[in-house]
Structure formats: structure tokens, C-alpha cells
């Protein structure tokens, strides 16, 4: 773990001491998923910024990223190929080190955002809800690092400071802020179950944040 990620953990640890809500049952559930080796626990960061203007209504934007694709074997055996690059929300699997202390989801989200975009709590980000929505995606035909049935997604809602610089890591091809409608259009292009799940989670976020 690099210096930025370590510092992120330190800042998040300070932040978590201020939280009143216990997430013990969520921590136990995540640990059970890791032990059962069926659905890989995976965090998805719904990062938003709230923009205010003197000349227009407030606007909310969500952070989307494109991961740099890795070459895959061509099923037609023509040769290696690059899969299509798609926009999605920052995400990653829960690692064993995330489970060494309480608030597993918060720690996993902090690590992913630090590693992928060099964003840190509480300087750049504020945790609103670490598990706004969670749902399993059944994909038994694919292997997910030893998990046989698919992934279980935990969607965390996080607010970003409006003026934060975006510094993607080498694994991220691009990143940008999108309105809710723009993000939904990106997801609809995929026409997959995962894309529908992302769209539903973003809809939940909009409902949660609307007055």
C-alpha cells in the first residue's frame, strides 16, 4: 500500500470515530461472503459533487471512470484483443486487509478511491452512506478470483468537494463528471444486468439526495 493510501486510512480512521451508527452487522455479512467464496464482496463508489450557481439552479454530477483494458484471448483464436472500454463508477473488491478493523465498506471505498483517483477522506471526500444499496449479481460461468457464483455489490454514496483535482492512476484511462442523465445514457449503452444495476443504484442516490 502506497503513502497516499496509508494516509487515506489514517484520515478515514479519524473520520470514523465521529460516526454514531454501528455497522457491525454489515461487517459480519461481508466477512461471511469472503469466507463462503461464492459472491465476491465488491464496493462501488457513487461519488457526487453539488454545484451551485448564481445564474442557474444547483446541479449534481457523478464521477465516472474508464478502466484501461487488458488484452484478452480472442475466442475465434485470431489473437489477443482489447475489450471495449466502458464508463462506470469507481469500484473494486473487498480485500482481507479491509477486514482487519471495523467499518469494512468504508475502508474498502477509501482504499479504492485512493488507489484509482488519489482522493482522500476527509480532505476531498465525505462519506454519506456506505451501503446505500447492495445486491448480488449471479454470474456462475465466470471466475472472480476464486468466488464461484459472481459478485455482491455494495454501493456507497460519497460527496466530493467541488474543486477537487482528478488525478487518475495508471489503471484508469479517463475520468469525468456526468449529470445523472448523462451517466444513465452511458450505462444504457451496455445493455447488461450490471449496467441496469448501476442505473438503479444511481436512481436510489438521486432519490436519497433529493429534498
Amino acid at each position: 500500500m502506497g503513502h497516499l493510501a496509508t494516509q487515506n486510512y489514517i484520515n478515514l480512521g479519524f473520520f470514523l470515530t465521529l460516526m454514531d451508527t454501528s455497522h457491525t452487522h454489515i461487517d459480519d455479512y461481508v466477512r461471511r461472503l469472503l469466507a463462503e467464496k461464492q459472491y465476491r464482496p465488491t464496493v462501488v463508489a457513487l461519488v457526487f459533487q453539488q454545484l451551485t450557481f448564481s445564474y442557474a439552479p444547483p446541479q449534481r454530477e457523478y464521477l465516472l471512470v474508464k478502466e484501461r483494458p487488458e488484452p484478452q484471448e480472442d475466442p475465434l483464436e485470431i489473437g489477443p484483443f482489447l475489450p471495449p472500454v466502458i464508463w462506470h463508477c469507481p469500484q473494486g473488491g473487498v480485500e482481507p486487509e479491509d477486514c482487519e478493523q471495523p467499518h469494512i465498506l468504508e475502508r474498502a471505498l477509501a482504499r479504492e478511491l485512493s488507489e484509482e483517483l488519489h482522493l482522500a477522506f476527509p480532505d476531498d471526500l465525505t462519506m454519506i452512506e456506505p451501503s446505500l444499496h447492495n445486491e448480488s449479481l449471479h454470474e456462475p460461468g465466470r471466475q472472480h478470483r476464486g468466488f464461484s457464483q459472481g459478485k455482491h455489490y455494495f454501493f456507497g454514496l460519497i460527496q466530493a468537494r467541488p474543486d477537487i483535482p482528478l488525478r487518475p492512476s495508471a489503471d484508469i484511462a479517463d475520468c469525468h463528471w456526468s449529470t445523472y442523465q448523462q451517466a444513465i445514457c452511458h450505462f444504457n449503452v451496455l445493455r447488461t444486468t450490471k449496467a441496469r444495476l448501476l442505473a438503479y443504484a444511481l436512481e436510489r442516490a438521486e432519490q436519497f439526495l433529493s429534498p
Side-chain angles (χ1 to χ4, degrees), residues 62 64 87 89 178-188 199 202:
Y62 293 89
L64 300 184
W87 289 102
C89 298
S178 296
T179 65
Y180 168 74
Q181 290 80 6
Q182 291 168 340
I184 294 299
C185 287
H186 282 306
F187 300 154
N188 285 342
L202 214 61

Side-chain angles (χ1 to χ4, degrees), residues 6-183:
T6 303
Q7 186 63 41
N8 199 355
Y9 266 53
I10 294 172
N11 290 340
L12 183 66
F14 170 76
F15 164 74
L16 290 177
T17 61
L18 305 180
M19 295 183 65
D20 296 324
T21 304
S22 171
H23 293 279
T24 303
H25 64 291
I26 296 179
D27 286 354
D28 291 342
Y29 183 48
V30 173
R31 290 190 180 98
R32 189 167 78 246
L33 288 171
L34 285 170
E36 291 174 347
K37 287 290 185 180
Q38 294 185 25
Y39 291 92
R40 187 186 185 200
T42 302
V43 291
V44 182
L46 305 177
V47 182
F48 73 95
Q49 61 176 358
Q50 195 79 30
L51 303 177
T52 56
F53 309 96
S54 59
Y55 54 87
Q59 179 173 297
R60 188 160 46 243
E61 295 182 333
Y62 293 89
L63 181 58
L64 300 184
V65 299
K66 276 185 178 179
E67 290 185 359
R68 202 173 299 280
E70 297 182 359
Q72 298 181 7
E73 290 300 319
D74 190 338
L76 299 179
E77 299 182 356
I78 298 174
F81 74 102
L82 289 177
V85 180
I86 57 176
W87 289 102
H88 60 83
C89 298
Q91 58 191 274
V94 175
E95 301 292 348
E97 61 264 29
D98 301 322
C99 304
E100 294 174 357
Q101 298 184 52
H103 302 283
I104 294 172
L105 297 183
E106 291 90 328
R107 296 182 186 281
L109 286 162
R111 177 179 51 75
E112 288 295 335
L113 290 169
S114 177
E115 292 174 352
E116 292 188 2
L117 296 159
H118 302 118
L119 299 177
F121 292 89
D123 297 337
D124 306 314
L125 307 167
T126 300
M127 185 71 69
I128 304 299
E129 173 53 60
S131 183
L132 178 69
H133 177 66
N134 71 90
E135 187 171 336
S136 292
L137 183 57
H138 189 58
E139 297 178 301
R142 300 177 58 187
Q143 285 294 313
H144 302 276
R145 297 193 180 183
F147 292 81
S148 61
Q149 298 301 311
K151 294 183 180 181
H152 189 96
Y153 289 98
F154 295 89
F155 293 87
L157 186 60
I158 300 164
Q159 184 168 9
R161 198 180 71 236
D163 58 343
I164 58 171
L166 296 178
R167 295 173 294 151
S169 68
D171 295 332
I172 302 300
D174 198 4
C175 59
H176 72 205
W177 295 100
S178 296
T179 65
Y180 168 74
Q181 290 80 6
Q182 291 168 340

